[in-house]
Short mmCIF file of all heavy atoms in Angstrom, two decimals:
data_model
loop_
_atom_site.label_atom_id
_atom_site.label_comp_id
_atom_site.label_asym_id
_atom_site.label_seq_id
_atom_site.Cartn_x
_atom_site.Cartn_y
_atom_site.Cartn_z
N ASN A 3 0.82 -1.21 0.00
CA ASN A 3 0.00 0.00 0.00
C ASN A 3 0.86 1.26 0.00
O ASN A 3 0.56 2.22 -0.72
CB ASN A 3 -0.94 0.01 1.21
CG ASN A 3 -2.04 -1.01 1.09
OD1 ASN A 3 -2.45 -1.38 0.00
ND2 ASN A 3 -2.52 -1.50 2.22
N GLN A 4 1.92 1.26 0.79
CA GLN A 4 2.82 2.42 0.83
C GLN A 4 3.51 2.61 -0.50
O GLN A 4 3.63 3.75 -1.00
CB GLN A 4 3.85 2.26 1.94
CG GLN A 4 3.30 2.41 3.32
CD GLN A 4 4.34 2.14 4.39
OE1 GLN A 4 5.44 1.68 4.11
NE2 GLN A 4 3.98 2.42 5.64
N CYS A 5 3.98 1.54 -1.10
CA CYS A 5 4.63 1.63 -2.41
C CYS A 5 3.66 2.11 -3.47
O CYS A 5 4.04 2.86 -4.37
CB CYS A 5 5.21 0.27 -2.81
SG CYS A 5 6.67 -0.20 -1.88
N LEU A 6 2.41 1.69 -3.35
CA LEU A 6 1.39 2.14 -4.29
C LEU A 6 1.19 3.65 -4.20
O LEU A 6 1.15 4.34 -5.22
CB LEU A 6 0.08 1.40 -4.00
CG LEU A 6 -1.03 1.45 -5.02
CD1 LEU A 6 -0.59 0.84 -6.33
CD2 LEU A 6 -2.24 0.73 -4.49
N ILE A 7 1.11 4.16 -3.00
CA ILE A 7 0.92 5.60 -2.80
C ILE A 7 2.15 6.39 -3.26
O ILE A 7 2.03 7.40 -3.96
CB ILE A 7 0.59 5.90 -1.32
CG1 ILE A 7 -0.79 5.37 -0.98
CG2 ILE A 7 0.68 7.40 -1.03
CD1 ILE A 7 -1.11 5.37 0.50
N LEU A 8 3.33 5.90 -2.90
CA LEU A 8 4.56 6.60 -3.30
C LEU A 8 4.77 6.58 -4.81
O LEU A 8 5.18 7.59 -5.39
CB LEU A 8 5.77 5.99 -2.58
CG LEU A 8 5.84 6.24 -1.08
CD1 LEU A 8 7.02 5.45 -0.48
CD2 LEU A 8 6.00 7.72 -0.80
N SER A 9 4.51 5.45 -5.44
CA SER A 9 4.71 5.37 -6.89
C SER A 9 3.66 6.22 -7.62
O SER A 9 3.98 6.82 -8.65
CB SER A 9 4.69 3.92 -7.37
OG SER A 9 3.47 3.30 -7.05
N LEU A 10 2.45 6.28 -7.10
CA LEU A 10 1.44 7.15 -7.72
C LEU A 10 1.83 8.61 -7.59
O LEU A 10 1.74 9.38 -8.55
CB LEU A 10 0.07 6.92 -7.08
CG LEU A 10 -1.06 7.78 -7.60
CD1 LEU A 10 -1.32 7.50 -9.07
CD2 LEU A 10 -2.32 7.56 -6.79
N THR A 11 2.32 8.99 -6.42
CA THR A 11 2.78 10.37 -6.21
C THR A 11 3.96 10.69 -7.13
O THR A 11 3.99 11.75 -7.78
CB THR A 11 3.20 10.58 -4.74
OG1 THR A 11 2.09 10.25 -3.90
CG2 THR A 11 3.63 12.01 -4.49
N GLY A 12 4.92 9.79 -7.21
CA GLY A 12 6.07 9.99 -8.09
C GLY A 12 5.65 10.08 -9.55
O GLY A 12 6.17 10.91 -10.31
N PHE A 13 4.71 9.23 -9.95
CA PHE A 13 4.22 9.25 -11.32
C PHE A 13 3.55 10.59 -11.65
O PHE A 13 3.82 11.19 -12.69
CB PHE A 13 3.25 8.09 -11.55
CG PHE A 13 2.62 8.08 -12.91
CD1 PHE A 13 3.35 7.72 -14.03
CD2 PHE A 13 1.30 8.44 -13.08
CE1 PHE A 13 2.78 7.71 -15.28
CE2 PHE A 13 0.71 8.44 -14.32
CZ PHE A 13 1.45 8.07 -15.44
N LEU A 14 2.70 11.05 -10.74
CA LEU A 14 2.02 12.32 -10.98
C LEU A 14 3.00 13.50 -11.04
O LEU A 14 2.86 14.40 -11.87
CB LEU A 14 0.96 12.57 -9.91
CG LEU A 14 -0.24 11.61 -9.95
CD1 LEU A 14 -1.15 11.87 -8.76
CD2 LEU A 14 -0.99 11.73 -11.25
N LEU A 15 4.00 13.48 -10.16
CA LEU A 15 5.01 14.53 -10.19
C LEU A 15 5.84 14.48 -11.47
O LEU A 15 6.19 15.52 -12.04
CB LEU A 15 5.92 14.43 -8.97
CG LEU A 15 5.28 14.82 -7.63
CD1 LEU A 15 6.23 14.54 -6.48
CD2 LEU A 15 4.87 16.28 -7.65
N ALA A 16 6.16 13.26 -11.92
CA ALA A 16 6.94 13.12 -13.15
C ALA A 16 6.14 13.60 -14.36
O ALA A 16 6.68 14.27 -15.25
CB ALA A 16 7.36 11.66 -13.34
N VAL A 17 4.85 13.29 -14.40
CA VAL A 17 4.00 13.76 -15.50
C VAL A 17 3.88 15.28 -15.45
O VAL A 17 3.95 15.95 -16.49
CB VAL A 17 2.61 13.09 -15.45
CG1 VAL A 17 1.63 13.76 -16.39
CG2 VAL A 17 2.73 11.62 -15.79
N LEU A 18 3.72 15.81 -14.26
CA LEU A 18 3.63 17.26 -14.11
C LEU A 18 4.92 17.94 -14.57
O LEU A 18 4.88 18.96 -15.27
CB LEU A 18 3.32 17.62 -12.66
CG LEU A 18 2.96 19.05 -12.36
CD1 LEU A 18 1.68 19.44 -13.10
CD2 LEU A 18 2.79 19.24 -10.88
N ALA A 19 6.04 17.37 -14.20
CA ALA A 19 7.33 17.94 -14.62
C ALA A 19 7.53 17.78 -16.13
O ALA A 19 8.07 18.67 -16.79
CB ALA A 19 8.48 17.27 -13.87
N SER A 20 7.09 16.65 -16.67
CA SER A 20 7.29 16.39 -18.10
C SER A 20 6.45 17.29 -18.99
O SER A 20 6.91 17.74 -20.04
CB SER A 20 6.93 14.94 -18.42
OG SER A 20 7.79 14.05 -17.77
N TYR A 21 5.21 17.54 -18.59
CA TYR A 21 4.30 18.25 -19.47
C TYR A 21 3.82 19.60 -18.94
O TYR A 21 3.45 20.46 -19.72
CB TYR A 21 3.08 17.36 -19.76
CG TYR A 21 3.47 16.09 -20.45
CD1 TYR A 21 3.49 14.89 -19.74
CD2 TYR A 21 3.86 16.07 -21.77
CE1 TYR A 21 3.87 13.71 -20.35
CE2 TYR A 21 4.23 14.90 -22.40
CZ TYR A 21 4.23 13.72 -21.68
OH TYR A 21 4.62 12.56 -22.29
N GLY A 22 3.84 19.79 -17.63
CA GLY A 22 3.34 21.04 -17.08
C GLY A 22 4.39 22.11 -16.93
O GLY A 22 4.13 23.30 -17.13
N PHE A 23 5.59 21.70 -16.53
CA PHE A 23 6.65 22.66 -16.27
C PHE A 23 7.86 22.43 -17.17
O PHE A 23 8.99 22.76 -16.82
CB PHE A 23 7.09 22.57 -14.80
CG PHE A 23 6.01 22.94 -13.84
CD1 PHE A 23 5.34 21.97 -13.12
CD2 PHE A 23 5.63 24.26 -13.68
CE1 PHE A 23 4.33 22.31 -12.24
CE2 PHE A 23 4.63 24.62 -12.80
CZ PHE A 23 3.97 23.65 -12.08
N ASP A 24 7.63 21.88 -18.35
CA ASP A 24 8.72 21.55 -19.25
C ASP A 24 9.50 22.78 -19.71
O ASP A 24 10.71 22.70 -19.92
CB ASP A 24 8.22 20.76 -20.46
CG ASP A 24 7.13 21.48 -21.22
OD1 ASP A 24 6.46 22.35 -20.62
OD2 ASP A 24 6.94 21.17 -22.41
N HIS A 25 8.86 23.91 -19.83
CA HIS A 25 9.54 25.11 -20.29
C HIS A 25 10.46 25.72 -19.22
O HIS A 25 11.28 26.57 -19.53
CB HIS A 25 8.53 26.15 -20.79
CG HIS A 25 7.42 26.45 -19.85
ND1 HIS A 25 6.33 25.61 -19.72
CD2 HIS A 25 7.23 27.46 -18.98
CE1 HIS A 25 5.52 26.11 -18.81
NE2 HIS A 25 6.03 27.24 -18.34
N TYR A 26 10.32 25.26 -17.98
CA TYR A 26 11.21 25.73 -16.91
C TYR A 26 12.42 24.81 -16.70
O TYR A 26 13.33 25.17 -15.97
CB TYR A 26 10.44 25.81 -15.58
CG TYR A 26 9.37 26.85 -15.56
CD1 TYR A 26 8.04 26.48 -15.42
CD2 TYR A 26 9.66 28.22 -15.67
CE1 TYR A 26 7.03 27.42 -15.39
CE2 TYR A 26 8.66 29.16 -15.65
CZ TYR A 26 7.36 28.77 -15.50
OH TYR A 26 6.36 29.71 -15.47
N LEU A 27 12.40 23.64 -17.31
CA LEU A 27 13.43 22.63 -17.06
C LEU A 27 14.43 22.57 -18.20
O LEU A 27 14.10 22.82 -19.36
CB LEU A 27 12.78 21.26 -16.88
CG LEU A 27 11.77 21.13 -15.75
CD1 LEU A 27 11.12 19.76 -15.78
CD2 LEU A 27 12.44 21.36 -14.41
N SER A 28 15.65 22.17 -17.84
CA SER A 28 16.67 21.96 -18.87
C SER A 28 16.35 20.68 -19.63
O SER A 28 15.49 19.88 -19.23
CB SER A 28 18.05 21.86 -18.22
OG SER A 28 18.11 20.70 -17.41
N LEU A 29 17.06 20.45 -20.72
CA LEU A 29 16.82 19.27 -21.53
C LEU A 29 17.10 17.99 -20.75
O LEU A 29 16.32 17.03 -20.82
CB LEU A 29 17.68 19.32 -22.80
CG LEU A 29 17.48 18.16 -23.78
CD1 LEU A 29 16.04 18.10 -24.26
CD2 LEU A 29 18.42 18.30 -24.95
N SER A 30 18.18 17.99 -19.97
CA SER A 30 18.49 16.78 -19.20
C SER A 30 17.44 16.52 -18.12
O SER A 30 17.08 15.37 -17.85
CB SER A 30 19.88 16.89 -18.57
OG SER A 30 19.94 18.00 -17.70
N ALA A 31 16.90 17.57 -17.52
CA ALA A 31 15.83 17.40 -16.53
C ALA A 31 14.55 16.90 -17.19
O ALA A 31 13.83 16.08 -16.60
CB ALA A 31 15.58 18.71 -15.80
N GLN A 32 14.27 17.37 -18.39
CA GLN A 32 13.09 16.88 -19.12
C GLN A 32 13.22 15.41 -19.47
O GLN A 32 12.26 14.64 -19.35
CB GLN A 32 12.88 17.70 -20.39
CG GLN A 32 12.42 19.11 -20.15
CD GLN A 32 12.21 19.86 -21.44
OE1 GLN A 32 11.84 19.28 -22.45
NE2 GLN A 32 12.47 21.17 -21.41
N ILE A 33 14.41 15.00 -19.89
CA ILE A 33 14.66 13.59 -20.21
C ILE A 33 14.49 12.74 -18.96
O ILE A 33 13.85 11.68 -18.99
CB ILE A 33 16.06 13.41 -20.82
CG1 ILE A 33 16.11 14.06 -22.21
CG2 ILE A 33 16.44 11.94 -20.91
CD1 ILE A 33 17.49 14.16 -22.81
N THR A 34 15.03 13.22 -17.84
CA THR A 34 14.89 12.51 -16.57
C THR A 34 13.42 12.39 -16.17
O THR A 34 12.98 11.34 -15.70
CB THR A 34 15.69 13.22 -15.47
OG1 THR A 34 17.06 13.31 -15.86
CG2 THR A 34 15.58 12.50 -14.15
N ALA A 35 12.66 13.45 -16.36
CA ALA A 35 11.24 13.43 -16.01
C ALA A 35 10.48 12.43 -16.88
O ALA A 35 9.62 11.69 -16.38
CB ALA A 35 10.65 14.83 -16.17
N HIS A 36 10.79 12.36 -18.16
CA HIS A 36 10.12 11.42 -19.05
C HIS A 36 10.48 9.97 -18.71
O HIS A 36 9.61 9.10 -18.71
CB HIS A 36 10.44 11.72 -20.50
CG HIS A 36 9.66 12.87 -21.06
ND1 HIS A 36 8.36 12.75 -21.49
CD2 HIS A 36 10.00 14.16 -21.26
CE1 HIS A 36 7.93 13.92 -21.92
NE2 HIS A 36 8.91 14.79 -21.79
N VAL A 37 11.73 9.73 -18.42
CA VAL A 37 12.15 8.38 -18.02
C VAL A 37 11.53 8.00 -16.68
O VAL A 37 11.09 6.87 -16.48
CB VAL A 37 13.69 8.28 -17.99
CG1 VAL A 37 14.15 6.97 -17.39
CG2 VAL A 37 14.27 8.44 -19.39
N SER A 38 11.46 8.97 -15.78
CA SER A 38 10.85 8.73 -14.47
C SER A 38 9.38 8.37 -14.60
O SER A 38 8.86 7.57 -13.81
CB SER A 38 10.99 9.96 -13.58
OG SER A 38 12.34 10.22 -13.31
N THR A 39 8.71 8.93 -15.59
CA THR A 39 7.31 8.58 -15.82
C THR A 39 7.17 7.09 -16.10
O THR A 39 6.29 6.43 -15.54
CB THR A 39 6.75 9.40 -17.01
OG1 THR A 39 6.91 10.78 -16.73
CG2 THR A 39 5.30 9.08 -17.27
N ILE A 40 8.04 6.56 -16.92
CA ILE A 40 8.01 5.13 -17.25
C ILE A 40 8.34 4.29 -16.03
O ILE A 40 7.68 3.28 -15.74
CB ILE A 40 8.97 4.83 -18.41
CG1 ILE A 40 8.53 5.57 -19.67
CG2 ILE A 40 9.07 3.33 -18.67
CD1 ILE A 40 9.55 5.57 -20.78
N VAL A 41 9.37 4.69 -15.29
CA VAL A 41 9.79 3.93 -14.11
C VAL A 41 8.70 3.92 -13.05
O VAL A 41 8.37 2.86 -12.50
CB VAL A 41 11.12 4.51 -13.55
CG1 VAL A 41 11.46 3.88 -12.21
CG2 VAL A 41 12.24 4.31 -14.54
N PHE A 42 8.12 5.08 -12.76
CA PHE A 42 7.08 5.14 -11.73
C PHE A 42 5.81 4.42 -12.16
O PHE A 42 5.12 3.83 -11.32
CB PHE A 42 6.77 6.59 -11.35
CG PHE A 42 7.77 7.19 -10.41
CD1 PHE A 42 8.51 8.30 -10.77
CD2 PHE A 42 7.98 6.65 -9.16
CE1 PHE A 42 9.43 8.87 -9.90
CE2 PHE A 42 8.90 7.20 -8.27
CZ PHE A 42 9.63 8.31 -8.66
N ALA A 43 5.49 4.45 -13.44
CA ALA A 43 4.32 3.70 -13.92
C ALA A 43 4.55 2.20 -13.74
O ALA A 43 3.63 1.46 -13.35
CB ALA A 43 4.05 4.01 -15.39
N THR A 44 5.76 1.73 -13.98
CA THR A 44 6.08 0.33 -13.77
C THR A 44 5.99 -0.04 -12.30
O THR A 44 5.42 -1.08 -11.94
CB THR A 44 7.50 0.03 -14.31
OG1 THR A 44 7.57 0.40 -15.69
CG2 THR A 44 7.85 -1.43 -14.15
N LEU A 45 6.54 0.79 -11.43
CA LEU A 45 6.46 0.53 -9.99
C LEU A 45 5.01 0.55 -9.50
O LEU A 45 4.64 -0.23 -8.62
CB LEU A 45 7.28 1.57 -9.23
CG LEU A 45 8.80 1.47 -9.38
CD1 LEU A 45 9.47 2.65 -8.70
CD2 LEU A 45 9.30 0.17 -8.83
N LEU A 46 4.21 1.42 -10.08
CA LEU A 46 2.79 1.49 -9.73
C LEU A 46 2.09 0.17 -10.06
O LEU A 46 1.35 -0.37 -9.23
CB LEU A 46 2.14 2.65 -10.47
CG LEU A 46 0.67 2.92 -10.22
CD1 LEU A 46 0.48 3.47 -8.82
CD2 LEU A 46 0.14 3.92 -11.23
N LYS A 47 2.35 -0.36 -11.23
CA LYS A 47 1.73 -1.62 -11.64
C LYS A 47 2.20 -2.79 -10.78
O LYS A 47 1.40 -3.63 -10.38
CB LYS A 47 2.02 -1.89 -13.11
CG LYS A 47 1.34 -0.91 -14.03
CD LYS A 47 1.77 -1.09 -15.46
CE LYS A 47 1.17 0.00 -16.32
NZ LYS A 47 1.60 -0.11 -17.72
#
């Protein structure tokens, strides 16, 4: 249950960073955010 909550939170933050605040982030931070989206979605499942 804890991992489910943490991975959901991480996934939402990664999506927010990837698509909501992308113009504030450097290219390497954007790449990290996109990769994190995949990782957190996997952990969520």
Side-chain angles (χ1 to χ4, degrees):
N3 289 332
Q4 288 176 351
C5 288
L6 194 61
I7 291 169
L8 291 174
S9 59
L10 178 63
T11 303
F13 176 73
L14 292 175
L15 289 174
V17 168
L18 190 62
S20 296
Y21 299 105
F23 297 105
D24 56 337
H25 51 281
Y26 294 116
L27 301 174
S28 65
L29 182 60
S30 60
Q32 290 180 32
I33 292 170
T34 303
H36 281 281
V37 171
S38 296
T39 303
I40 297 168
V41 171
F42 281 119
T44 303
L45 291 174
L46 182 70
K47 292 173 186 178

